[in-house]
Amino acid sequence: MEEQRILAIESSCDETAAAVVKNGREVLSNIISSQIALHTVYGGVVPEIASRKHVENIDGVIMEALQQANVTLQEIDAVAVTYGPGLVGALLVGLAEAKALSFALQKPLIGVHHIEGHICANYIENKEFEPPFISLVVSGGHTHIVYVPEYGKYEILGKTRDDAVGEAYDKVARAIGMGYPGGPKIDAAAKNGKETIAFPRIFLEENSYDFSFSGLKSAVLNYINKANMMGEKIIPEDVAASFQAAVIDVLLEKTMRAVEQKGVYKIALAGGVASNSALRQRMKEECQKRGYTLNIPSPIFCTDNAAMIGCAAYYEYQKGIRDSLDLNANPSLKLGER
Ligand code: KG4
Ligand code: ZN
């Protein structure tokens, strides 16, 4: 088989990332320049700052990705880029760069859906992993249960009706004074906490695969406000552990039900929250108990990165997908649509 090297660019949120991926699954380089420190001051991502920083960083990040992969621009076979969903100004920086490279090098351009990238992160380390499978996608902006019957095909079984899981983590963390980004902080705090507070598990209608996390978030905020009013001491570690247990109970139940309904006993975790240690552990235990196959990317491939975009682009490329230079950023792009 002819070798295929894809230069991939990801700039949908607050990470400027570039990677070179060979034949879809071999990551030659994976450079991530995080802006977290800049946004922490504001308690969340400030879109204007994100765009400006992407502009400043993107050339350097791409050069580093090429150098580390030991590949020249001329040796690249295609340029891949996230074109949605995400912050429109942030997406446009990566897209403009990818289009310029594609035009200058006369190499194909492949636009990739950000969530497709997250799902495809599962192909990187486990070379045997392939569809069909059920993917639980949990990130800062999305919470989806997706059935993947074959490469590049996505059937959304359910999604959040309000907050994404990562968003709930970030908001709860802020309320208990842990700062941004809250996910990793709650993860760490929960390890030293006990599940002492009974927060609600919101399952919605009996057969629904949809999620709702805003009620849980409100319950946590109410608990904190009430304790403050009564002058009671709050144990942040216990709040973190109790909140997290409520989230994971719901994620687990719905994912397992989707597996049974589809009769596809293989699960792939995806997205930033998939790096959560408790979610990983409880998924592992549950899958072991039931005899299901489980794949979870290493944390570095769970949070935003460009290697996952290069991987997804490879399978789009194999299907003959090529984008033209009028490809536009689409902040609300739907999974499975072009
Ligand atoms: O996938 P991602 O990097 O960006 C989006 O596409 O949104 O996900 C970022 C989200 C943030 O909400 C962050 O708090 C959460 O993932 N996150 C975690 C952990 N690491 C990152 N949530 C829980 N536990 C973690 N260890
Ligand atoms: Zn993401």
Side-chain angles (χ1 to χ4, degrees):
M1 186 182 75
E2 205 187 316
E3 285 195 351
Q4 190 76 48
R5 288 188 191 83
I6 294 182
L7 170 66
I9 299 169
E10 153 66 44
S11 70
S12 65
C13 192
D14 59 346
E15 253 94 42
T16 321
V20 180
V21 179
K22 187 170 131 186
N23 298 337
R25 293 190 183 225
E26 195 182 329
V27 177
L28 302 183
S29 64
N30 186 31
I31 308 296
I32 304 164
S33 166
S34 172
Q35 307 176 0
I36 284 178
L38 276 171
H39 299 284
T40 299
V41 190
Y42 304 98
V45 178
V46 184
E48 277 299 315
I49 297 179
S51 314
R52 204 179 323 139
K53 281 289 146 189
H54 285 313
V55 172
E56 284 173 22
N57 291 340
I58 200 156
D59 282 336
V61 167
I62 290 172
M63 292 323 281
E64 209 177 320
L66 291 166
Q67 268 162 19
Q68 217 174 80
N70 205 14
V71 170
T72 64
L73 271 178
Q74 285 67 31
E75 288 168 328
I76 291 295
D77 297 294
V79 183
V81 65
T82 308
Y83 73 110
L87 303 169
V88 68
L91 288 165
L92 280 170
V93 178
L95 192 61
E97 183 87 8
K99 286 199 234 176
L101 285 170
S102 161
F103 179 67
L105 299 167
Q106 290 297 300
K107 301 282 162 88
L109 175 72
I110 306 158
V112 174
H113 190 291
H114 183 75
I115 298 301
E116 178 175 22
H118 274 304
I119 294 173
C120 290
N122 282 281
Y123 302 141
I124 294 173
E125 295 158 293
N126 182 349
K127 310 294 178 205
E128 273 80 52
F129 196 80
E130 57 182 15
F133 58 83
I134 298 287
S135 185
L136 172 66
V137 185
V138 278
S139 76
H142 298 87
T143 308
H144 282 22
I145 294 183
V146 183
Y147 170 50
V148 184
E150 57 186 84
Y151 288 110
K153 278 240 167 77
Y154 305 96
E155 183 190 329
I156 299 174
L157 302 178
K159 58 182 173 185
T160 184
R161 293 185 188 167
D162 39 60
D163 292 356
V165 181
E167 201 178 341
Y169 264 91
D170 293 340
K171 286 177 182 165
V172 165
R174 197 183 310 166
I176 47 180
M178 289 181 183
Y180 170 86
K185 297 204 169 131
I186 292 205
D187 189 350
K191 287 183 183 148
N192 303 315
K194 289 194 204 72
E195 233 188 279
T196 51
I197 313 149
F199 289 130
R201 272 76 171 152
I202 295 156
F203 289 100
L204 301 170
E205 303 81 34
E206 202 180 330
N207 295 317
S208 177
Y209 291 111
D210 281 352
F211 298 99
S212 168
F213 291 106
S214 73
L216 170 59
K217 178 195 67 190
S218 301
V220 177
L221 300 187
N222 288 343
Y223 170 84
I224 294 167
N225 290 339
K226 201 164 148 210
N228 283 336
M229 255 169 20
M230 310 285 274
E232 286 165 7
K233 197 170 170 298
I234 294 164
I235 304 169
E237 290 80 4
D238 289 357
V239 177
S242 306
F243 160 76
Q244 191 164 267
V247 168
I248 297 175
D249 279 353
V250 176
L251 293 178
L252 237 60
E253 195 275 336
K254 300 217 176 210
T255 309
M256 297 304 156
R257 194 149 45 78
V259 165
E260 279 154 28
Q261 192 226 317
K262 285 288 173 191
V264 170
Y265 303 98
K266 205 196 277 184
I267 299 174
L269 285 198
V273 185
S275 57
N276 181 270
S277 55
L279 175 60
R280 296 168 83 93
Q281 183 57 33
R282 287 199 45 202
M283 265 288 175
K284 256 180 224 159
E285 286 166 7
E286 195 62 34
C287 286
Q288 242 160 30
K289 205 165 76 190
R290 292 167 179 252
Y292 297 172
T293 304
L294 173 69
N295 194 75
I296 317 179
S298 295
I300 192 69
F301 294 121
C302 287
T303 44
D304 287 351
N305 66 88
M308 66 184 195
I309 302 302
C311 179
Y314 175 78
Y315 292 100
E316 294 289 329
Y317 190 89
Q318 296 299 309
K319 281 195 311 190
I321 298 287
R322 310 283 186 272
D323 281 298
S324 68
L325 290 176
D326 56 16
L327 180 70
N328 204 356
N330 184 348
S332 50
L333 186 66
K334 302 275 175 297
L335 185 62
E337 283 176 15
R338 290 202 72 84

